[in-house]
Amino acid sequence: MSTTDRKYDVFLSFRGFDTRCNFVSFFYKELNRCNIQTFKDDKDLKSGQRISSVLNSAIEESRFAVVVVSVKYTESSWCLEELVNIMDLQKEDKIEVIPIFYGVKPADVRWQIEVVAEHFEKHEGRVDVDLEKVASWRQALIDLAAISGYCSSNWKDDSEMIDEVTDTISKRLLIAKPRRSGSKLEGIDTHMEAIRQKLDLKSNKSVRMFGIWARGGNSRSALAKFVYDNISQHFQCHCFLENVKNISKDRHMPHLRREFLKKIQGNYSSTSRLKNQKEVLLVADDVNKVEQIEALAEEFSNFGPGSVVIITTQDKQLLDSANIKLVYEVDLLKFQNVGDLFRQSAFKERFNELFRQSAFKERQDSAAFESDVEICCSPRDELFTKNCWTSLPAQ
């Protein structure tokens, strides 16, 4: 199974007795907030019970396994058996393992001393002990402790460690696979890869301004939205501000800033949460005045390192005037082949007849035409619009 086909991004391995209602609860909530699909089992198995096939499948269908080794973790034969399964897959490069040593030292786990030694003394003292199985538990712990991970004693509080682990997973997922697809633009994957390389999302530099220039409003907006959907989970706070030129039309520029604040704070309970965020993503689509960028820039001082502001426009001079040096230029963005799009509509038979007549060959204005096609092919429309019908030959 390839990493792009996995059902889950993360499988959480933990001992519920001492972490379910505190660290794991907050960690799971943050993973979900960042759109990281996470499997967390909410049942504790009693000693002697076997790990269910559901759990085994969840491990196999996950990109990452985050193993939270707490004080009580090695006391549980269930947790240790789960760990053996995880480490077996790790050896086959089928899962990436991230250990978190919560309240215990990595050295105690590696050398199996202190509280870990006490737990294994109990395991080996049972009447029905399977020494071969216990040996596999010990080896799994040794292998786990050899992996670079996170230790709670190195952090001032849990929230900082949770932010760091979540950020690491987000970045690795972003490199591994696109989060969403579906744009009807030709060559969308090529555009996305080129933009991703230019953005360098692993950078922790101060707020970076990035421009996307292309002709054709609808196609440019489609590209901007596709980029936003694919990278937004990398940021703690994000906002797609569409149709900027109309938001500020016939209004004072502070209105645009207020609109941005209203939308970006939709995920947070108070305005103060916007300040000092680690990373913020803002995509301002269809900008046509430098003053619009200046109005939004009043908030940029609150953005933390690694933040990105993407400006899309059809005016190259505007990007120069705003001193935006990092620009992705594409002369012409086109939606997929007209015939392919129409064949997906309710008018398949009718269009095939007209398409054979090469009705659209005389259209030279590609930027205007892709707008017509998008309107005609919208699943919301039950009938062709007048704009599209007038492009067809008389019968």
Short mmCIF file of all heavy atoms in Angstrom, two decimals, residues 249-276:
data_model
loop_
_atom_site.label_atom_id
_atom_site.label_comp_id
_atom_site.label_asym_id
_atom_site.label_seq_id
_atom_site.Cartn_x
_atom_site.Cartn_y
_atom_site.Cartn_z
N LYS A 249 -14.30 47.32 -3.23
CA LYS A 249 -14.88 48.24 -4.21
C LYS A 249 -15.84 49.22 -3.55
O LYS A 249 -16.73 48.84 -2.80
CB LYS A 249 -15.62 47.43 -5.29
CG LYS A 249 -16.11 48.27 -6.45
CD LYS A 249 -16.77 47.38 -7.50
CE LYS A 249 -17.25 48.19 -8.69
NZ LYS A 249 -17.90 47.34 -9.71
N ASP A 250 -15.65 50.51 -3.85
CA ASP A 250 -16.50 51.58 -3.32
C ASP A 250 -16.52 51.60 -1.79
O ASP A 250 -17.47 52.08 -1.17
CB ASP A 250 -17.94 51.44 -3.84
CG ASP A 250 -18.02 51.50 -5.35
OD1 ASP A 250 -17.22 52.24 -5.95
OD2 ASP A 250 -18.86 50.79 -5.94
N ARG A 251 -15.48 51.07 -1.15
CA ARG A 251 -15.41 51.09 0.31
C ARG A 251 -14.01 51.51 0.73
O ARG A 251 -13.06 51.41 -0.04
CB ARG A 251 -15.72 49.71 0.89
CG ARG A 251 -17.16 49.29 0.70
CD ARG A 251 -17.36 47.87 1.20
NE ARG A 251 -18.75 47.44 1.09
CZ ARG A 251 -19.18 46.21 1.28
NH1 ARG A 251 -18.31 45.27 1.60
NH2 ARG A 251 -20.45 45.89 1.18
N HIS A 252 -13.88 51.93 1.98
CA HIS A 252 -12.57 52.28 2.49
C HIS A 252 -11.76 51.00 2.72
O HIS A 252 -12.30 49.95 3.03
CB HIS A 252 -12.70 53.07 3.80
CG HIS A 252 -13.38 54.39 3.62
ND1 HIS A 252 -12.85 55.40 2.86
CD2 HIS A 252 -14.57 54.86 4.10
CE1 HIS A 252 -13.67 56.44 2.87
NE2 HIS A 252 -14.72 56.14 3.62
N MET A 253 -10.44 51.10 2.61
CA MET A 253 -9.58 49.93 2.73
C MET A 253 -9.66 49.23 4.09
O MET A 253 -9.49 48.01 4.16
CB MET A 253 -8.13 50.32 2.42
CG MET A 253 -7.90 50.61 0.95
SD MET A 253 -8.34 49.19 -0.10
CE MET A 253 -8.39 49.98 -1.71
N PRO A 254 -9.92 49.94 5.19
CA PRO A 254 -10.05 49.23 6.48
C PRO A 254 -11.13 48.15 6.46
O PRO A 254 -11.06 47.19 7.22
CB PRO A 254 -10.41 50.35 7.46
CG PRO A 254 -9.75 51.56 6.89
CD PRO A 254 -9.91 51.41 5.40
N HIS A 255 -12.11 48.29 5.55
CA HIS A 255 -13.15 47.26 5.45
C HIS A 255 -12.55 45.93 5.01
O HIS A 255 -12.96 44.86 5.48
CB HIS A 255 -14.22 47.70 4.46
CG HIS A 255 -15.26 46.65 4.19
ND1 HIS A 255 -16.29 46.38 5.06
CD2 HIS A 255 -15.40 45.76 3.16
CE1 HIS A 255 -17.02 45.39 4.58
NE2 HIS A 255 -16.50 44.99 3.43
N LEU A 256 -11.55 45.98 4.13
CA LEU A 256 -10.90 44.76 3.64
C LEU A 256 -10.17 44.07 4.79
O LEU A 256 -10.24 42.84 4.94
CB LEU A 256 -9.92 45.11 2.53
CG LEU A 256 -9.10 43.95 1.95
CD1 LEU A 256 -10.00 42.91 1.31
CD2 LEU A 256 -8.09 44.48 0.92
N ARG A 257 -9.50 44.87 5.61
CA ARG A 257 -8.78 44.31 6.76
C ARG A 257 -9.75 43.67 7.74
O ARG A 257 -9.49 42.58 8.28
CB ARG A 257 -7.97 45.41 7.44
CG ARG A 257 -7.24 44.97 8.69
CD ARG A 257 -6.30 46.07 9.18
NE ARG A 257 -5.81 45.77 10.52
CZ ARG A 257 -6.38 46.24 11.62
NH1 ARG A 257 -7.46 47.02 11.55
NH2 ARG A 257 -5.87 45.94 12.81
N ARG A 258 -10.87 44.31 7.97
CA ARG A 258 -11.88 43.75 8.89
C ARG A 258 -12.44 42.43 8.34
O ARG A 258 -12.72 41.49 9.10
CB ARG A 258 -13.00 44.75 9.12
CG ARG A 258 -12.62 45.93 10.00
CD ARG A 258 -13.84 46.70 10.47
NE ARG A 258 -14.56 47.32 9.36
CZ ARG A 258 -14.31 48.54 8.89
NH1 ARG A 258 -13.33 49.27 9.44
NH2 ARG A 258 -15.00 49.03 7.89
N GLU A 259 -12.63 42.37 7.04
CA GLU A 259 -13.14 41.15 6.42
C GLU A 259 -12.14 40.01 6.61
O GLU A 259 -12.54 38.86 6.89
CB GLU A 259 -13.37 41.40 4.93
CG GLU A 259 -14.05 40.25 4.19
CD GLU A 259 -15.51 40.07 4.57
OE1 GLU A 259 -16.08 41.00 5.18
OE2 GLU A 259 -16.07 39.00 4.25
N PHE A 260 -10.87 40.31 6.47
CA PHE A 260 -9.83 39.31 6.69
C PHE A 260 -9.83 38.82 8.13
O PHE A 260 -9.80 37.62 8.40
CB PHE A 260 -8.47 39.91 6.32
CG PHE A 260 -7.30 39.22 6.95
CD1 PHE A 260 -7.03 37.88 6.67
CD2 PHE A 260 -6.46 39.89 7.83
CE1 PHE A 260 -5.95 37.23 7.27
CE2 PHE A 260 -5.40 39.24 8.42
CZ PHE A 260 -5.14 37.92 8.13
N LEU A 261 -9.88 39.75 9.07
CA LEU A 261 -9.89 39.38 10.49
C LEU A 261 -11.10 38.52 10.85
O LEU A 261 -11.01 37.58 11.63
CB LEU A 261 -9.86 40.63 11.36
CG LEU A 261 -8.54 41.42 11.37
CD1 LEU A 261 -8.70 42.72 12.12
CD2 LEU A 261 -7.44 40.58 11.99
N LYS A 262 -12.23 38.86 10.24
CA LYS A 262 -13.46 38.10 10.52
C LYS A 262 -13.32 36.66 10.03
O LYS A 262 -13.72 35.72 10.72
CB LYS A 262 -14.65 38.78 9.84
CG LYS A 262 -15.98 38.08 10.10
CD LYS A 262 -17.14 38.89 9.55
CE LYS A 262 -17.11 38.91 8.03
NZ LYS A 262 -18.30 39.59 7.47
N LYS A 263 -12.73 36.49 8.86
CA LYS A 263 -12.62 35.14 8.29
C LYS A 263 -11.52 34.33 8.96
O LYS A 263 -11.70 33.14 9.24
CB LYS A 263 -12.35 35.24 6.79
CG LYS A 263 -13.56 35.67 5.99
CD LYS A 263 -13.35 35.43 4.51
CE LYS A 263 -14.62 35.70 3.73
NZ LYS A 263 -14.50 35.34 2.30
N ILE A 264 -10.38 34.94 9.23
CA ILE A 264 -9.27 34.17 9.78
C ILE A 264 -9.52 33.80 11.24
O ILE A 264 -8.97 32.82 11.73
CB ILE A 264 -7.95 34.94 9.65
CG1 ILE A 264 -6.76 33.95 9.68
CG2 ILE A 264 -7.81 36.00 10.74
CD1 ILE A 264 -5.44 34.55 9.27
N GLN A 265 -10.37 34.53 11.90
CA GLN A 265 -10.66 34.22 13.29
C GLN A 265 -11.80 33.24 13.45
O GLN A 265 -12.23 32.93 14.55
CB GLN A 265 -10.99 35.51 14.06
CG GLN A 265 -9.76 36.40 14.25
CD GLN A 265 -10.10 37.79 14.74
OE1 GLN A 265 -11.23 38.06 15.12
NE2 GLN A 265 -9.12 38.67 14.73
N GLY A 266 -12.28 32.72 12.33
CA GLY A 266 -13.37 31.76 12.40
C GLY A 266 -13.01 30.51 13.16
O GLY A 266 -13.87 29.86 13.75
N ASN A 267 -11.72 30.16 13.21
CA ASN A 267 -11.27 28.96 13.92
C ASN A 267 -10.89 29.23 15.36
O ASN A 267 -10.49 28.33 16.09
CB ASN A 267 -10.04 28.34 13.21
CG ASN A 267 -10.41 27.83 11.83
OD1 ASN A 267 -11.53 27.43 11.61
ND2 ASN A 267 -9.47 27.87 10.92
N TYR A 268 -10.98 30.48 15.79
CA TYR A 268 -10.50 30.82 17.12
C TYR A 268 -11.57 31.56 17.91
O TYR A 268 -12.49 32.16 17.37
CB TYR A 268 -9.23 31.67 17.02
CG TYR A 268 -8.15 30.95 16.29
CD1 TYR A 268 -7.87 31.23 14.97
CD2 TYR A 268 -7.43 29.93 16.92
CE1 TYR A 268 -6.89 30.54 14.28
CE2 TYR A 268 -6.45 29.25 16.24
CZ TYR A 268 -6.18 29.56 14.92
OH TYR A 268 -5.22 28.87 14.25
N SER A 269 -11.42 31.56 19.22
CA SER A 269 -12.45 32.11 20.10
C SER A 269 -12.27 33.58 20.39
O SER A 269 -13.19 34.23 20.87
CB SER A 269 -12.45 31.34 21.43
OG SER A 269 -11.17 31.41 22.05
N SER A 270 -11.09 34.13 20.13
CA SER A 270 -10.87 35.54 20.44
C SER A 270 -9.84 36.13 19.50
O SER A 270 -9.04 35.42 18.90
CB SER A 270 -10.39 35.71 21.89
OG SER A 270 -9.11 35.11 22.05
N THR A 271 -9.85 37.47 19.39
CA THR A 271 -8.93 38.15 18.48
C THR A 271 -7.48 37.97 18.90
O THR A 271 -6.58 38.00 18.09
CB THR A 271 -9.25 39.65 18.42
OG1 THR A 271 -9.19 40.19 19.76
CG2 THR A 271 -10.64 39.88 17.86
N SER A 272 -7.25 37.77 20.19
CA SER A 272 -5.88 37.64 20.67
C SER A 272 -5.20 36.39 20.13
O SER A 272 -3.98 36.31 20.08
CB SER A 272 -5.85 37.60 22.21
OG SER A 272 -6.57 36.48 22.68
N ARG A 273 -5.97 35.38 19.72
CA ARG A 273 -5.38 34.15 19.21
C ARG A 273 -4.66 34.37 17.89
O ARG A 273 -3.80 33.59 17.53
CB ARG A 273 -6.47 33.08 19.02
CG ARG A 273 -7.07 32.54 20.28
CD ARG A 273 -6.04 31.79 21.10
NE ARG A 273 -5.46 30.68 20.37
CZ ARG A 273 -5.99 29.48 20.31
NH1 ARG A 273 -7.11 29.22 20.95
NH2 ARG A 273 -5.39 28.51 19.64
N LEU A 274 -5.03 35.44 17.18
CA LEU A 274 -4.36 35.71 15.91
C LEU A 274 -2.93 36.17 16.13
O LEU A 274 -2.05 35.89 15.34
CB LEU A 274 -5.14 36.78 15.14
CG LEU A 274 -4.53 37.25 13.81
CD1 LEU A 274 -4.44 36.08 12.84
CD2 LEU A 274 -5.36 38.37 13.21
N LYS A 275 -2.69 36.86 17.24
CA LYS A 275 -1.38 37.42 17.49
C LYS A 275 -0.36 36.34 17.84
O LYS A 275 -0.67 35.36 18.51
CB LYS A 275 -1.44 38.45 18.62
CG LYS A 275 -2.26 39.68 18.24
CD LYS A 275 -2.21 40.71 19.34
CE LYS A 275 -2.98 41.98 18.92
NZ LYS A 275 -2.94 43.00 19.98
N ASN A 276 0.85 36.56 17.36
CA ASN A 276 1.98 35.69 17.68
C ASN A 276 1.76 34.23 17.30
O ASN A 276 2.28 33.33 17.95
CB ASN A 276 2.30 35.80 19.18
CG ASN A 276 2.62 37.22 19.59
OD1 ASN A 276 3.30 37.94 18.87
ND2 ASN A 276 2.10 37.63 20.73
#
